[in-house]
Amino acid sequence: MGDLITMDDLTNEEILQVLDNARRLLPVAKGEAYLPLLQGKVLGNLFFENSTRTRMSFETAMKRLGGEVLNLSSIGSSVAKGETLYDTMQMVDGYADIAVIRHPNQGAAQYSADAVEIPVLNGGDGAGNHPTQTMLDLFTIREAHGSLKDLNVMMVGDLRYGRTTHSLSHALVRFGAKITLVSPDSLRMPEEIVSDLKKHGGDINETEEMSSAIDSADVIYMTRIQKERFPDEDEYIKVAGIYKLTKDDLSGAKAEMIVMHPLPRVNELHASVDSTRHARYFQQAFNGVPTRMALLCRSLGVKIPKKVKK
Amino acid sequence: MTEMRRVTAICNGTAIDHIPSGHALQVLKMLRLDVGRSNPISMVMNAPSGKMGRKDVLKIEDRELNQEELDRLALIAPKASVAIIRNYHVAEKRTIELGSELINIVRCSFSNCITKNSREPLPHKLKIISAEPMEIRCSYCGKNQDINEIVDFII
Ligand SMILES: Nc1ncnc2c1ncn2[C@@H]1O[C@H](COP(=O)(O)OP(=O)(O)O)[C@@H](O)[C@H]1O
Ligand SMILES: [Mg+2]
Ligand SMILES: [Zn+2]
């Protein structure tokens, strides 16, 4: 019930509720207030694939709310010895109250949720979904624009393997977004996702060219071309470095437009953007903390007080 | 007394009619009647049919297929009509139903799906997104399946 595997697990109303709660928890996330709502609870942080931000922000979120964290890394554990995901999850079911899973195989989060009683949060499954990232992205967008309604959003880069854009586009369409998908042909958004977006009434435009949509955008969401997802190196080399957003590209952009990136970045987002009013990616990375706090509370059925005192 | 006489009448068993023409062998595969020792089976392929132009027909002797087995056929022969034959007569008619989820009938074809590890014990599950046109999606990884290749992934 408290699972979060894809954005389908949350209604629009629930999304807004979580975002409201995340805002209330900001002082706790910053360490300015201590609110041990999750005291006595244990989070199983199951990372079968590398992560910096997702793993660390979940850990901070849990600890700032007074909870404890168990970390599993697949290296050296029984996973390396060939243990099935099912068996690993049975163990976690006994050791933790809630689990976050990041796994290289698509569908691993749903599979884990089916295998255990405790709530499971998808921290990224292969090229599948990454809903907690989407929630922090939505938080960032809403803080900047005041609302999620009818935005003009551009997503750039690896839309094929880039799971963050899969979950985010799905959510934004439900709030009436117009989305421009910018990618090389070989990295287009998967067909079933585009068809789903259109089915939900999404105004979707696919292009290989970035510059013409910049000036009308409310959000530019850059993504890294992920070397590790390419079956072969040659294919990667063909498209690596194809998009580069610099400060100069933004000269005609709307004043309130924000540039986001799930990070880490390589060349697609030039450091010259950092000093512009548009840059929001470091803020975005921090927003993982209050958003994940709110999501942990939701999944564990813990109420967040209306007012959090500093 | 028409098309059924293309093959001998059977005494007991199951007759599957109105299979899309050319698909009888796939139907046998889906029913797992293509391997090992099976009952006598007669097959008519590309028979003329009033309502579908051409069709295939299968007759399986001494074996009454149950509903669960028949529902597997929804993937390739959703409009097939099934008759259970007892003592040369149609004793029962069954229709094929396309449920909302296929559990342990076919496996997901996507190479990076968690269900590719054959040691993982949970059932293979695919959701029916739409019947016409047929759209089937893995319940775990969310990948759509190629309907033309689905017979290759029968469990
Ligand atoms: N004794 C039998 N042996 C083999 N097939 C039979 C026999 N009796 C009926 N069938 C087949 O069962 C199917 C349905 O029977 P039928 O009497 O034609 O019903 P309907 O009028 O609904 O078509 C047909 O494909 C028919 O050929
Ligand atoms: Mg007839
Ligand atoms: Zn799958």
Side-chain angles (χ1 to χ4, degrees):
Chain A
M1 209 228 106
D3 296 333
L4 178 57
I5 309 300
T6 75
M7 288 306 290
D8 281 337
D9 295 328
L10 295 171
T11 62
N12 284 12
E13 209 180 353
E14 284 171 320
I15 289 174
L16 295 173
Q17 230 165 53
V18 172
L19 299 183
D20 284 343
N21 285 335
R23 184 186 291 149
R24 283 185 197 114
L25 290 168
L26 270 171
V28 186
K30 289 179 183 154
E32 296 164 1
Y34 183 59
L35 186 66
L37 291 175
L38 300 183
Q39 201 161 36
K41 302 281 187 200
V42 176
L43 165 69
N45 235 351
L46 314 176
F47 284 76
F48 296 85
E49 196 184 55
N50 288 337
S51 159
T52 310
R53 274 154 292 273
T54 305
R55 190 173 58 74
M56 286 183 70
S57 65
F58 261 116
E59 188 157 351
T60 307
M62 194 66 190
K63 288 182 171 167
R64 291 226 194 264
L65 289 171
E68 304 283 335
V69 182
L70 288 178
N71 275 293
L72 170 139
S73 75
S74 40
I75 309 123
S77 69
S78 48
V79 176
K81 297 172 191 134
E83 186 171 58
T84 59
L85 180 56
Y86 182 86
D87 285 2
T88 306
M89 291 309 296
Q90 298 315 304
M91 169 194 80
V92 175
D93 206 19
Y95 295 168
D97 301 298
I98 182 166
V100 174
I101 178 171
R102 152 85 50 106
H103 199 283
N105 291 134
Q106 207 157 313
Q110 183 63 59
Y111 188 90
S112 302
D114 287 4
V116 295
E117 294 291 321
I118 59 170
V120 173
L121 306 179
N122 185 1
D125 62 325
N129 290 277
H130 196 356
T132 71
Q133 173 77 41
T134 295
M135 289 302 289
L136 76 90
D137 291 342
L138 294 174
F139 183 80
T140 307
I141 295 171
R142 192 175 180 226
E143 294 301 295
H145 288 287
S147 144
L148 295 175
K149 276 232 158 312
D150 304 328
L151 294 167
N152 202 328
V153 180
M154 201 174 139
M155 297 185 182
V156 185
D158 175 2
L159 306 182
R160 178 167 178 199
Y161 302 107
R163 57 193 169 202
T164 61
T165 60
H166 300 169
S167 297
L168 181 60
S169 55
H170 183 112
L172 284 169
V173 155
R174 285 161 46 185
F175 288 95
K178 173 173 189 263
I179 301 181
T180 305
L181 300 171
V182 185
S183 73
D185 192 53
S186 62
L187 295 178
R188 280 171 66 170
M189 182 80 77
E191 218 182 298
E192 54 266 69
I193 299 182
V194 176
S195 101
D196 269 8
L197 295 177
K198 289 184 175 163
K199 240 185 256 165
H200 283 88
D203 181 350
I204 310 296
N205 181 21
E206 291 182 274
T207 169
E208 291 192 35
E209 198 263 331
M210 173 171 77
S211 53
S212 60
I214 293 178
D215 293 359
S216 58
D218 297 309
V219 176
I220 299 180
Y221 196 97
M222 299 297 297
T223 66
R224 176 173 67 98
I225 310 249
Q226 307 173 83
K227 192 175 180 184
E228 66 274 23
R229 305 237 177 256
F230 277 78
D232 74 276
E233 178 109 26
D234 290 348
E235 285 297 310
Y236 171 71
I237 290 165
K238 271 189 218 157
V239 292
I242 165 166
Y243 302 113
K244 283 197 179 88
L245 191 73
T246 67
K247 184 180 177 177
D248 295 341
D249 296 321
L250 304 178
S251 56
K254 290 187 191 173
E256 66 282 16
M257 184 277 287
I258 58 169
V259 177
M260 298 172 67
H261 193 304
L263 304 178
R265 61 175 156 177
V266 194
N267 322 317
E268 64 279 359
L269 181 51
H270 193 259
S272 63
V273 178
D274 297 3
S275 60
T276 68
R277 61 176 300 165
H278 307 292
R280 211 50 56 89
Y281 26 92
F282 297 123
Q283 181 69 45
Q284 181 187 356
F286 163 76
N287 288 343
V289 182
T291 309
R292 289 181 169 123
M293 284 177 161
L295 288 170
L296 287 167
C297 289
R298 172 187 176 267
S299 287
L300 287 167
V302 171
K303 278 221 164 70
I304 290 158
K306 289 271 175 250
K307 280 230 151 53
V308 176
K309 278 188 232 78
K310 274 201 193 178
Chain B
M1 272 312 136
T2 51
E3 82 275 4
M4 84 176 237
R5 295 301 170 231
R6 283 180 188 276
V7 282
T8 335
I10 61 173
C11 177
N12 293 299
T14 308
I16 308 175
D17 199 351
H18 303 115
I19 298 167
S21 89
H23 285 64
L25 288 168
Q26 294 186 341
V27 167
L28 287 180
K29 187 162 184 218
M30 285 212 122
L31 294 172
R32 298 185 187 125
L33 292 169
D34 62 328
V35 282
R37 255 188 308 147
S38 164
N39 305 39
I41 294 167
S42 38
M43 184 186 314
V44 175
M45 293 182 84
N46 304 317
S49 156
K51 62 174 171 183
M52 52 198 297
R54 306 226 159 230
K55 65 175 184 178
D56 290 0
V57 182
L58 278 172
K59 303 201 174 165
I60 302 146
E61 286 180 46
D62 299 319
R63 171 93 191 262
E64 297 190 3
L65 293 171
N66 63 35
Q67 193 65 42
E68 198 187 312
E69 292 171 299
L70 293 170
D71 288 347
R72 298 169 156 259
L73 302 185
L75 290 173
I76 49 172
K79 302 218 169 82
S81 37
V82 179
I84 303 296
I85 313 296
R86 286 175 204 141
N87 197 18
Y88 293 102
H89 287 93
V90 177
E92 268 177 57
K93 287 193 179 178
R94 294 195 179 149
T95 49
I96 290 164
E97 273 156 47
L98 184 60
S100 58
E101 199 163 38
L102 304 168
I103 295 175
N104 273 341
I105 294 176
V106 282
R107 63 180 85 243
C108 173
S109 63
F110 180 49
S111 59
N112 194 36
C113 182
I114 185 67
T115 62
K116 280 281 142 156
N117 179 352
S118 59
R119 289 172 47 244
E120 290 294 351
L122 290 185
H124 295 267
K125 287 200 261 177
L126 293 114
K127 267 191 292 251
I128 312 294
I129 304 295
S130 108
E132 275 198 76
M134 184 90 76
E135 195 183 340
I136 295 171
R137 192 170 287 183
C138 175
S139 301
Y140 299 106
C141 74
K143 281 281 178 189
N144 272 9
Q145 308 294 306
D146 185 339
I147 302 302
N148 301 315
E149 282 176 7
I150 215 148
V151 268
D152 297 336
F153 293 92
I154 296 166
I155 292 166

